Amino acid sequence: MTIYIPMEIIQLLLFPKECFKCIKTYNYFICYIWCLLVVPGKKTTRKLYRHCFFFRKDVSSWCRFFTEYKWDYTEVIRKMFLLLLNLFPNELMVHGKIQACFDTTLNAKDSKKVIGIQKWDNHSGNADAGEYIIGHHWGVLGITGFFKNQYISFLISFKLVTGKLAKSQWKCNQSGQAEPLKIWDVAHAQILQLNQWVLQSGHKLRTVEDAYFANKPFIQPLLDQGIDVVTKLRADAVARLDPEPQSQKKRGRKPKYGKQIKVRELWNLTEHEIVTVQLYGKIQTIEIAVADVCMLVNAS
């Protein structure tokens, strides 16, 4: 069996050395990453031990590494982001800003004993995968750069999304009451953490999401932090048109918003245009409707 491992990963494994308190812990970390690349199937402790011929230790040593040795996972991610930014300063600047992308993914699991496992609706559109998946729901955050003729995304972090049945993550409000994390909280935690690193590097952040995240509870906290959000509106999204011009001057303040509509109604309210765009790598001619609308978020 031939295993391809890119040479760039060697440089990525060198930078977090100073994040570990001792060289022994760092050596375990390096071997752990290499084993993840070569061990097929489930990454159990015993499999790691069997495949790690270049760092011969017993199974109990690996167990102690996962349970007792302490190292800062967030600091490792931060240094990896700064390294990527130093290696590709021009490629990772998309229209003047660092561009992040966030989405979620489902990971099926056979055992129900692992924390966080429950039944999730499958929205992948793949009929063979079934209507639901039993497993973990992960929030995935990456940064996108333009390299030669294509966009490439570098994964930055994964966070477990807690569910309504298997509540595995909590937060405390200002009054000290604990409540389970929602999917928006997980997304905000990852994006706002990245935003701190981006601001420290002297840049600004933009984030891109699909239509599932096009709602005020997700968008508004990001806008309040000065983060631009690019997303696709859902067909049932509510918007307001510009106020219609008044033929006669009326008493009182001028209306700030016009008629309230659903986004899908724009197709019948405005004139259509024919444009040529690139969709999924192909040049296509499509018919579009364009209109300026105001969404119910306090965008600045």
Side-chain angles (χ1 to χ4, degrees), residues 170-204:
W170 304 80
K171 67 176 182 179
C172 289
N173 54 26
Q174 296 180 351
S175 61
Q177 297 178 347
E179 55 185 38
L181 288 180
K182 299 179 181 178
I183 184 174
W184 316 127
D185 299 319
V186 176
H188 291 155
Q190 294 178 254
I191 297 174
L192 294 180
Q193 177 69 83
L194 177 62
N195 186 50
Q196 291 183 6
W197 302 336
V198 171
L199 293 177
Q200 292 173 2
S201 63
H203 302 291
K204 291 186 177 181

PDB file of all heavy atoms in Angstrom, residues 170-204:
ATOM      1  N   TRP A 170     -21.935  23.513  27.472  1.00  0.00           N
ATOM      2  CA  TRP A 170     -22.770  24.460  28.190  1.00  0.00           C
ATOM      3  C   TRP A 170     -22.105  25.826  28.227  1.00  0.00           C
ATOM      4  O   TRP A 170     -20.896  25.951  28.023  1.00  0.00           O
ATOM      5  CB  TRP A 170     -23.024  23.975  29.617  1.00  0.00           C
ATOM      6  CG  TRP A 170     -23.632  22.608  29.670  1.00  0.00           C
ATOM      7  CD1 TRP A 170     -22.983  21.408  29.538  1.00  0.00           C
ATOM      8  CD2 TRP A 170     -25.014  22.290  29.809  1.00  0.00           C
ATOM      9  NE1 TRP A 170     -23.877  20.363  29.604  1.00  0.00           N
ATOM     10  CE2 TRP A 170     -25.137  20.889  29.770  1.00  0.00           C
ATOM     11  CE3 TRP A 170     -26.169  23.057  29.978  1.00  0.00           C
ATOM     12  CZ2 TRP A 170     -26.352  20.238  29.903  1.00  0.00           C
ATOM     13  CZ3 TRP A 170     -27.382  22.415  30.112  1.00  0.00           C
ATOM     14  CH2 TRP A 170     -27.464  21.026  30.068  1.00  0.00           C
ATOM     15  N   LYS A 171     -22.905  26.834  28.504  1.00  0.00           N
ATOM     16  CA  LYS A 171     -22.401  28.194  28.704  1.00  0.00           C
ATOM     17  C   LYS A 171     -23.188  28.829  29.842  1.00  0.00           C
ATOM     18  O   LYS A 171     -24.292  28.387  30.174  1.00  0.00           O
ATOM     19  CB  LYS A 171     -22.543  29.027  27.435  1.00  0.00           C
ATOM     20  CG  LYS A 171     -23.989  29.320  27.046  1.00  0.00           C
ATOM     21  CD  LYS A 171     -24.068  30.236  25.835  1.00  0.00           C
ATOM     22  CE  LYS A 171     -25.536  30.547  25.502  1.00  0.00           C
ATOM     23  NZ  LYS A 171     -25.650  31.462  24.338  1.00  0.00           N
ATOM     24  N   CYS A 172     -22.601  29.851  30.448  1.00  0.00           N
ATOM     25  CA  CYS A 172     -23.246  30.568  31.541  1.00  0.00           C
ATOM     26  C   CYS A 172     -23.589  31.979  31.076  1.00  0.00           C
ATOM     27  O   CYS A 172     -22.753  32.659  30.465  1.00  0.00           O
ATOM     28  CB  CYS A 172     -22.341  30.628  32.767  1.00  0.00           C
ATOM     29  SG  CYS A 172     -22.122  29.049  33.606  1.00  0.00           S
ATOM     30  N   ASN A 173     -24.806  32.414  31.367  1.00  0.00           N
ATOM     31  CA  ASN A 173     -25.198  33.776  31.021  1.00  0.00           C
ATOM     32  C   ASN A 173     -24.735  34.745  32.104  1.00  0.00           C
ATOM     33  O   ASN A 173     -24.044  34.362  33.057  1.00  0.00           O
ATOM     34  CB  ASN A 173     -26.720  33.856  30.806  1.00  0.00           C
ATOM     35  CG  ASN A 173     -27.496  33.322  32.003  1.00  0.00           C
ATOM     36  OD1 ASN A 173     -27.010  33.332  33.138  1.00  0.00           O
ATOM     37  ND2 ASN A 173     -28.707  32.848  31.750  1.00  0.00           N
ATOM     38  N   GLN A 174     -25.115  35.997  31.998  1.00  0.00           N
ATOM     39  CA  GLN A 174     -24.650  37.001  32.933  1.00  0.00           C
ATOM     40  C   GLN A 174     -25.155  36.780  34.350  1.00  0.00           C
ATOM     41  O   GLN A 174     -24.513  37.201  35.318  1.00  0.00           O
ATOM     42  CB  GLN A 174     -25.073  38.396  32.443  1.00  0.00           C
ATOM     43  CG  GLN A 174     -24.439  38.789  31.109  1.00  0.00           C
ATOM     44  CD  GLN A 174     -24.877  40.160  30.648  1.00  0.00           C
ATOM     45  OE1 GLN A 174     -25.779  40.762  31.223  1.00  0.00           O
ATOM     46  NE2 GLN A 174     -24.252  40.659  29.586  1.00  0.00           N
ATOM     47  N   SER A 175     -26.294  36.122  34.495  1.00  0.00           N
ATOM     48  CA  SER A 175     -26.832  35.839  35.828  1.00  0.00           C
ATOM     49  C   SER A 175     -26.276  34.556  36.432  1.00  0.00           C
ATOM     50  O   SER A 175     -26.644  34.186  37.544  1.00  0.00           O
ATOM     51  CB  SER A 175     -28.362  35.750  35.758  1.00  0.00           C
ATOM     52  OG  SER A 175     -28.766  34.700  34.877  1.00  0.00           O
ATOM     53  N   GLY A 176     -25.379  33.848  35.693  1.00  0.00           N
ATOM     54  CA  GLY A 176     -24.760  32.634  36.214  1.00  0.00           C
ATOM     55  C   GLY A 176     -25.528  31.357  35.940  1.00  0.00           C
ATOM     56  O   GLY A 176     -25.147  30.288  36.418  1.00  0.00           O
ATOM     57  N   GLN A 177     -26.596  31.434  35.172  1.00  0.00           N
ATOM     58  CA  GLN A 177     -27.377  30.243  34.843  1.00  0.00           C
ATOM     59  C   GLN A 177     -26.769  29.539  33.631  1.00  0.00           C
ATOM     60  O   GLN A 177     -26.430  30.178  32.639  1.00  0.00           O
ATOM     61  CB  GLN A 177     -28.829  30.619  34.562  1.00  0.00           C
ATOM     62  CG  GLN A 177     -29.552  31.223  35.750  1.00  0.00           C
ATOM     63  CD  GLN A 177     -30.984  31.625  35.419  1.00  0.00           C
ATOM     64  OE1 GLN A 177     -31.361  31.682  34.252  1.00  0.00           O
ATOM     65  NE2 GLN A 177     -31.772  31.909  36.440  1.00  0.00           N
ATOM     66  N   ALA A 178     -26.651  28.218  33.746  1.00  0.00           N
ATOM     67  CA  ALA A 178     -26.055  27.416  32.665  1.00  0.00           C
ATOM     68  C   ALA A 178     -27.125  27.017  31.659  1.00  0.00           C
ATOM     69  O   ALA A 178     -28.252  26.671  32.031  1.00  0.00           O
ATOM     70  CB  ALA A 178     -25.387  26.178  33.232  1.00  0.00           C
ATOM     71  N   GLU A 179     -26.779  27.079  30.387  1.00  0.00           N
ATOM     72  CA  GLU A 179     -27.685  26.665  29.325  1.00  0.00           C
ATOM     73  C   GLU A 179     -26.875  25.990  28.233  1.00  0.00           C
ATOM     74  O   GLU A 179     -25.696  26.311  28.038  1.00  0.00           O
ATOM     75  CB  GLU A 179     -28.450  27.869  28.755  1.00  0.00           C
ATOM     76  CG  GLU A 179     -27.574  28.992  28.263  1.00  0.00           C
ATOM     77  CD  GLU A 179     -28.367  30.206  27.821  1.00  0.00           C
ATOM     78  OE1 GLU A 179     -29.378  30.509  28.481  1.00  0.00           O
ATOM     79  OE2 GLU A 179     -27.970  30.842  26.836  1.00  0.00           O
ATOM     80  N   PRO A 180     -27.465  25.012  27.539  1.00  0.00           N
ATOM     81  CA  PRO A 180     -26.699  24.282  26.510  1.00  0.00           C
ATOM     82  C   PRO A 180     -26.355  25.170  25.327  1.00  0.00           C
ATOM     83  O   PRO A 180     -27.102  26.091  24.976  1.00  0.00           O
ATOM     84  CB  PRO A 180     -27.656  23.150  26.103  1.00  0.00           C
ATOM     85  CG  PRO A 180     -29.017  23.650  26.461  1.00  0.00           C
ATOM     86  CD  PRO A 180     -28.845  24.512  27.683  1.00  0.00           C
ATOM     87  N   LEU A 181     -25.205  24.902  24.731  1.00  0.00           N
ATOM     88  CA  LEU A 181     -24.780  25.655  23.554  1.00  0.00           C
ATOM     89  C   LEU A 181     -25.664  25.320  22.358  1.00  0.00           C
ATOM     90  O   LEU A 181     -26.036  24.169  22.153  1.00  0.00           O
ATOM     91  CB  LEU A 181     -23.331  25.330  23.214  1.00  0.00           C
ATOM     92  CG  LEU A 181     -22.232  25.881  24.124  1.00  0.00           C
ATOM     93  CD1 LEU A 181     -20.878  25.446  23.604  1.00  0.00           C
ATOM     94  CD2 LEU A 181     -22.302  27.388  24.212  1.00  0.00           C
ATOM     95  N   LYS A 182     -25.963  26.327  21.568  1.00  0.00           N
ATOM     96  CA  LYS A 182     -26.661  26.134  20.307  1.00  0.00           C
ATOM     97  C   LYS A 182     -25.640  26.132  19.173  1.00  0.00           C
ATOM     98  O   LYS A 182     -24.472  26.468  19.366  1.00  0.00           O
ATOM     99  CB  LYS A 182     -27.700  27.241  20.097  1.00  0.00           C
ATOM    100  CG  LYS A 182     -28.772  27.284  21.171  1.00  0.00           C
ATOM    101  CD  LYS A 182     -29.749  28.413  20.913  1.00  0.00           C
ATOM    102  CE  LYS A 182     -30.812  28.481  22.005  1.00  0.00           C
ATOM    103  NZ  LYS A 182     -31.759  29.602  21.796  1.00  0.00           N
ATOM    104  N   ILE A 183     -26.096  25.776  17.984  1.00  0.00           N
ATOM    105  CA  ILE A 183     -25.185  25.705  16.846  1.00  0.00           C
ATOM    106  C   ILE A 183     -24.592  27.075  16.548  1.00  0.00           C
ATOM    107  O   ILE A 183     -23.430  27.197  16.146  1.00  0.00           O
ATOM    108  CB  ILE A 183     -25.903  25.128  15.603  1.00  0.00           C
ATOM    109  CG1 ILE A 183     -24.903  24.969  14.447  1.00  0.00           C
ATOM    110  CG2 ILE A 183     -27.075  26.003  15.203  1.00  0.00           C
ATOM    111  CD1 ILE A 183     -25.506  24.272  13.246  1.00  0.00           C
ATOM    112  N   TRP A 184     -25.376  28.164  16.817  1.00  0.00           N
ATOM    113  CA  TRP A 184     -24.847  29.507  16.574  1.00  0.00           C
ATOM    114  C   TRP A 184     -23.709  29.818  17.545  1.00  0.00           C
ATOM    115  O   TRP A 184     -22.748  30.500  17.191  1.00  0.00           O
ATOM    116  CB  TRP A 184     -25.948  30.553  16.714  1.00  0.00           C
ATOM    117  CG  TRP A 184     -27.239  30.188  16.063  1.00  0.00           C
ATOM    118  CD1 TRP A 184     -28.477  30.171  16.629  1.00  0.00           C
ATOM    119  CD2 TRP A 184     -27.444  29.774  14.703  1.00  0.00           C
ATOM    120  NE1 TRP A 184     -29.426  29.786  15.727  1.00  0.00           N
ATOM    121  CE2 TRP A 184     -28.821  29.530  14.539  1.00  0.00           C
ATOM    122  CE3 TRP A 184     -26.594  29.588  13.619  1.00  0.00           C
ATOM    123  CZ2 TRP A 184     -29.365  29.116  13.332  1.00  0.00           C
ATOM    124  CZ3 TRP A 184     -27.140  29.158  12.412  1.00  0.00           C
ATOM    125  CH2 TRP A 184     -28.492  28.927  12.273  1.00  0.00           C
ATOM    126  N   ASP A 185     -23.833  29.337  18.801  1.00  0.00           N
ATOM    127  CA  ASP A 185     -22.788  29.595  19.791  1.00  0.00           C
ATOM    128  C   ASP A 185     -21.476  28.932  19.393  1.00  0.00           C
ATOM    129  O   ASP A 185     -20.398  29.503  19.577  1.00  0.00           O
ATOM    130  CB  ASP A 185     -23.235  29.093  21.166  1.00  0.00           C
ATOM    131  CG  ASP A 185     -24.501  29.788  21.654  1.00  0.00           C
ATOM    132  OD1 ASP A 185     -24.593  31.016  21.456  1.00  0.00           O
ATOM    133  OD2 ASP A 185     -25.377  29.112  22.204  1.00  0.00           O
ATOM    134  N   VAL A 186     -21.566  27.708  18.866  1.00  0.00           N
ATOM    135  CA  VAL A 186     -20.361  27.004  18.428  1.00  0.00           C
ATOM    136  C   VAL A 186     -19.704  27.740  17.266  1.00  0.00           C
ATOM    137  O   VAL A 186     -18.485  27.932  17.229  1.00  0.00           O
ATOM    138  CB  VAL A 186     -20.708  25.553  18.033  1.00  0.00           C
ATOM    139  CG1 VAL A 186     -19.486  24.837  17.476  1.00  0.00           C
ATOM    140  CG2 VAL A 186     -21.261  24.793  19.228  1.00  0.00           C
ATOM    141  N   ALA A 187     -20.525  28.176  16.313  1.00  0.00           N
ATOM    142  CA  ALA A 187     -19.984  28.916  15.159  1.00  0.00           C
ATOM    143  C   ALA A 187     -19.350  30.232  15.595  1.00  0.00           C
ATOM    144  O   ALA A 187     -18.257  30.591  15.140  1.00  0.00           O
ATOM    145  CB  ALA A 187     -21.094  29.162  14.136  1.00  0.00           C
ATOM    146  N   HIS A 188     -20.017  30.966  16.481  1.00  0.00           N
ATOM    147  CA  HIS A 188     -19.480  32.246  16.946  1.00  0.00           C
ATOM    148  C   HIS A 188     -18.172  32.065  17.700  1.00  0.00           C
ATOM    149  O   HIS A 188     -17.243  32.878  17.561  1.00  0.00           O
ATOM    150  CB  HIS A 188     -20.503  32.946  17.846  1.00  0.00           C
ATOM    151  CG  HIS A 188     -21.704  33.431  17.107  1.00  0.00           C
ATOM    152  ND1 HIS A 188     -22.928  33.633  17.702  1.00  0.00           N
ATOM    153  CD2 HIS A 188     -21.882  33.740  15.788  1.00  0.00           C
ATOM    154  CE1 HIS A 188     -23.799  34.052  16.807  1.00  0.00           C
ATOM    155  NE2 HIS A 188     -23.189  34.122  15.638  1.00  0.00           N
ATOM    156  N   ALA A 189     -18.079  31.006  18.518  1.00  0.00           N
ATOM    157  CA  ALA A 189     -16.853  30.777  19.283  1.00  0.00           C
ATOM    158  C   ALA A 189     -15.664  30.584  18.356  1.00  0.00           C
ATOM    159  O   ALA A 189     -14.576  31.126  18.586  1.00  0.00           O
ATOM    160  CB  ALA A 189     -17.028  29.555  20.189  1.00  0.00           C
ATOM    161  N   GLN A 190     -15.838  29.826  17.282  1.00  0.00           N
ATOM    162  CA  GLN A 190     -14.743  29.578  16.350  1.00  0.00           C
ATOM    163  C   GLN A 190     -14.404  30.830  15.531  1.00  0.00           C
ATOM    164  O   GLN A 190     -13.231  31.163  15.352  1.00  0.00           O
ATOM    165  CB  GLN A 190     -15.103  28.419  15.418  1.00  0.00           C
ATOM    166  CG  GLN A 190     -15.241  27.080  16.132  1.00  0.00           C
ATOM    167  CD  GLN A 190     -15.649  25.961  15.202  1.00  0.00           C
ATOM    168  OE1 GLN A 190     -16.776  25.507  15.222  1.00  0.00           O
ATOM    169  NE2 GLN A 190     -14.729  25.508  14.372  1.00  0.00           N
ATOM    170  N   ILE A 191     -15.430  31.512  15.034  1.00  0.00           N
ATOM    171  CA  ILE A 191     -15.187  32.680  14.175  1.00  0.00           C
ATOM    172  C   ILE A 191     -14.602  33.838  14.975  1.00  0.00           C
ATOM    173  O   ILE A 191     -13.659  34.512  14.520  1.00  0.00           O
ATOM    174  CB  ILE A 191     -16.492  33.099  13.471  1.00  0.00           C
ATOM    175  CG1 ILE A 191     -16.976  31.977  12.539  1.00  0.00           C
ATOM    176  CG2 ILE A 191     -16.289  34.384  12.683  1.00  0.00           C
ATOM    177  CD1 ILE A 191     -18.321  32.245  11.905  1.00  0.00           C
ATOM    178  N   LEU A 192     -15.114  34.097  16.174  1.00  0.00           N
ATOM    179  CA  LEU A 192     -14.607  35.208  16.976  1.00  0.00           C
ATOM    180  C   LEU A 192     -13.187  34.943  17.469  1.00  0.00           C
ATOM    181  O   LEU A 192     -12.395  35.880  17.623  1.00  0.00           O
ATOM    182  CB  LEU A 192     -15.550  35.467  18.157  1.00  0.00           C
ATOM    183  CG  LEU A 192     -16.952  35.963  17.786  1.00  0.00           C
ATOM    184  CD1 LEU A 192     -17.792  36.177  19.026  1.00  0.00           C
ATOM    185  CD2 LEU A 192     -16.881  37.248  16.966  1.00  0.00           C
ATOM    186  N   GLN A 193     -12.847  33.670  17.732  1.00  0.00           N
ATOM    187  CA  GLN A 193     -11.479  33.348  18.102  1.00  0.00           C
ATOM    188  C   GLN A 193     -10.530  33.641  16.949  1.00  0.00           C
ATOM    189  O   GLN A 193      -9.466  34.242  17.131  1.00  0.00           O
ATOM    190  CB  GLN A 193     -11.380  31.872  18.495  1.00  0.00           C
ATOM    191  CG  GLN A 193      -9.978  31.404  18.833  1.00  0.00           C
ATOM    192  CD  GLN A 193      -9.453  32.004  20.114  1.00  0.00           C
ATOM    193  OE1 GLN A 193      -9.743  31.530  21.195  1.00  0.00           O
ATOM    194  NE2 GLN A 193      -8.665  33.061  19.993  1.00  0.00           N
ATOM    195  N   LEU A 194     -10.931  33.242  15.731  1.00  0.00           N
ATOM    196  CA  LEU A 194     -10.116  33.547  14.555  1.00  0.00           C
ATOM    197  C   LEU A 194     -10.028  35.050  14.326  1.00  0.00           C
ATOM    198  O   LEU A 194      -8.971  35.566  13.925  1.00  0.00           O
ATOM    199  CB  LEU A 194     -10.702  32.847  13.333  1.00  0.00           C
ATOM    200  CG  LEU A 194     -10.010  33.127  11.992  1.00  0.00           C
ATOM    201  CD1 LEU A 194      -8.560  32.660  12.020  1.00  0.00           C
ATOM    202  CD2 LEU A 194     -10.759  32.454  10.844  1.00  0.00           C
ATOM    203  N   ASN A 195     -11.109  35.767  14.603  1.00  0.00           N
ATOM    204  CA  ASN A 195     -11.102  37.214  14.395  1.00  0.00           C
ATOM    205  C   ASN A 195     -10.069  37.903  15.292  1.00  0.00           C
ATOM    206  O   ASN A 195      -9.439  38.887  14.878  1.00  0.00           O
ATOM    207  CB  ASN A 195     -12.497  37.775  14.679  1.00  0.00           C
ATOM    208  CG  ASN A 195     -12.607  39.250  14.351  1.00  0.00           C
ATOM    209  OD1 ASN A 195     -12.227  39.688  13.271  1.00  0.00           O
ATOM    210  ND2 ASN A 195     -13.129  40.035  15.286  1.00  0.00           N
ATOM    211  N   GLN A 196      -9.877  37.411  16.517  1.00  0.00           N
ATOM    212  CA  GLN A 196      -8.864  37.984  17.397  1.00  0.00           C
ATOM    213  C   GLN A 196      -7.470  37.847  16.789  1.00  0.00           C
ATOM    214  O   GLN A 196      -6.676  38.791  16.821  1.00  0.00           O
ATOM    215  CB  GLN A 196      -8.915  37.301  18.764  1.00  0.00           C
ATOM    216  CG  GLN A 196     -10.156  37.623  19.578  1.00  0.00           C
ATOM    217  CD  GLN A 196     -10.119  36.987  20.952  1.00  0.00           C
ATOM    218  OE1 GLN A 196      -9.116  36.396  21.353  1.00  0.00           O
ATOM    219  NE2 GLN A 196     -11.219  37.100  21.682  1.00  0.00           N
ATOM    220  N   TRP A 197      -7.176  36.670  16.234  1.00  0.00           N
ATOM    221  CA  TRP A 197      -5.862  36.454  15.619  1.00  0.00           C
ATOM    222  C   TRP A 197      -5.700  37.317  14.370  1.00  0.00           C
ATOM    223  O   TRP A 197      -4.614  37.823  14.108  1.00  0.00           O
ATOM    224  CB  TRP A 197      -5.683  34.983  15.286  1.00  0.00           C
ATOM    225  CG  TRP A 197      -5.820  34.081  16.470  1.00  0.00           C
ATOM    226  CD1 TRP A 197      -5.623  34.416  17.778  1.00  0.00           C
ATOM    227  CD2 TRP A 197      -6.191  32.703  16.464  1.00  0.00           C
ATOM    228  NE1 TRP A 197      -5.842  33.322  18.582  1.00  0.00           N
ATOM    229  CE2 TRP A 197      -6.187  32.267  17.807  1.00  0.00           C
ATOM    230  CE3 TRP A 197      -6.518  31.794  15.469  1.00  0.00           C
ATOM    231  CZ2 TRP A 197      -6.509  30.955  18.160  1.00  0.00           C
ATOM    232  CZ3 TRP A 197      -6.825  30.500  15.816  1.00  0.00           C
ATOM    233  CH2 TRP A 197      -6.823  30.079  17.156  1.00  0.00           C
ATOM    234  N   VAL A 198      -6.779  37.466  13.596  1.00  0.00           N
ATOM    235  CA  VAL A 198      -6.711  38.279  12.378  1.00  0.00           C
ATOM    236  C   VAL A 198      -6.451  39.734  12.733  1.00  0.00           C
ATOM    237  O   VAL A 198      -5.624  40.413  12.095  1.00  0.00           O
ATOM    238  CB  VAL A 198      -8.011  38.130  11.563  1.00  0.00           C
ATOM    239  CG1 VAL A 198      -8.048  39.129  10.413  1.00  0.00           C
ATOM    240  CG2 VAL A 198      -8.138  36.712  11.017  1.00  0.00           C
ATOM    241  N   LEU A 199      -7.133  40.259  13.754  1.00  0.00           N
ATOM    242  CA  LEU A 199      -6.933  41.649  14.164  1.00  0.00           C
ATOM    243  C   LEU A 199      -5.520  41.865  14.696  1.00  0.00           C
ATOM    244  O   LEU A 199      -4.905  42.916  14.453  1.00  0.00           O
ATOM    245  CB  LEU A 199      -7.967  42.036  15.223  1.00  0.00           C
ATOM    246  CG  LEU A 199      -9.435  42.091  14.759  1.00  0.00           C
ATOM    247  CD1 LEU A 199     -10.347  42.418  15.928  1.00  0.00           C
ATOM    248  CD2 LEU A 199      -9.613  43.109  13.648  1.00  0.00           C
ATOM    249  N   GLN A 200      -4.979  40.880  15.414  1.00  0.00           N
ATOM    250  CA  GLN A 200      -3.617  40.994  15.926  1.00  0.00           C
ATOM    251  C   GLN A 200      -2.588  41.041  14.803  1.00  0.00           C
ATOM    252  O   GLN A 200      -1.515  41.631  14.966  1.00  0.00           O
ATOM    253  CB  GLN A 200      -3.315  39.835  16.872  1.00  0.00           C
ATOM    254  CG  GLN A 200      -4.097  39.879  18.176  1.00  0.00           C
ATOM    255  CD  GLN A 200      -3.913  38.636  19.019  1.00  0.00           C
ATOM    256  OE1 GLN A 200      -3.163  37.726  18.650  1.00  0.00           O
ATOM    257  NE2 GLN A 200      -4.593  38.583  20.150  1.00  0.00           N
ATOM    258  N   SER A 201      -2.916  40.415  13.671  1.00  0.00           N
ATOM    259  CA  SER A 201      -2.009  40.432  12.527  1.00  0.00           C
ATOM    260  C   SER A 201      -2.175  41.673  11.665  1.00  0.00           C
ATOM    261  O   SER A 201      -1.486  41.820  10.646  1.00  0.00           O
ATOM    262  CB  SER A 201      -2.220  39.177  11.671  1.00  0.00           C
ATOM    263  OG  SER A 201      -3.535  39.154  11.122  1.00  0.00           O
ATOM    264  N   GLY A 202      -3.097  42.572  12.050  1.00  0.00           N
ATOM    265  CA  GLY A 202      -3.289  43.816  11.323  1.00  0.00           C
ATOM    266  C   GLY A 202      -4.230  43.724  10.142  1.00  0.00           C
ATOM    267  O   GLY A 202      -4.201  44.604   9.269  1.00  0.00           O
ATOM    268  N   HIS A 203      -5.085  42.708  10.095  1.00  0.00           N
ATOM    269  CA  HIS A 203      -6.016  42.541   8.985  1.00  0.00           C
ATOM    270  C   HIS A 203      -7.447  42.520   9.510  1.00  0.00           C
ATOM    271  O   HIS A 203      -7.688  42.635  10.717  1.00  0.00           O
ATOM    272  CB  HIS A 203      -5.721  41.244   8.221  1.00  0.00           C
ATOM    273  CG  HIS A 203      -4.326  41.167   7.682  1.00  0.00           C
ATOM    274  ND1 HIS A 203      -3.875  41.960   6.652  1.00  0.00           N
ATOM    275  CD2 HIS A 203      -3.268  40.394   8.044  1.00  0.00           C
ATOM    276  CE1 HIS A 203      -2.618  41.685   6.390  1.00  0.00           C
ATOM    277  NE2 HIS A 203      -2.216  40.739   7.225  1.00  0.00           N
ATOM    278  N   LYS A 204      -8.399  42.369   8.596  1.00  0.00           N
ATOM    279  CA  LYS A 204      -9.807  42.247   8.942  1.00  0.00           C
ATOM    280  C   LYS A 204     -10.351  40.934   8.372  1.00  0.00           C
ATOM    281  O   LYS A 204      -9.809  40.395   7.409  1.00  0.00           O
ATOM    282  CB  LYS A 204     -10.616  43.438   8.427  1.00  0.00           C
ATOM    283  CG  LYS A 204     -10.290  44.745   9.148  1.00  0.00           C
ATOM    284  CD  LYS A 204     -11.229  45.859   8.710  1.00  0.00           C
ATOM    285  CE  LYS A 204     -10.945  47.138   9.482  1.00  0.00           C
ATOM    286  NZ  LYS A 204     -11.869  48.230   9.086  1.00  0.00           N
TER     287      LYS A 204
END
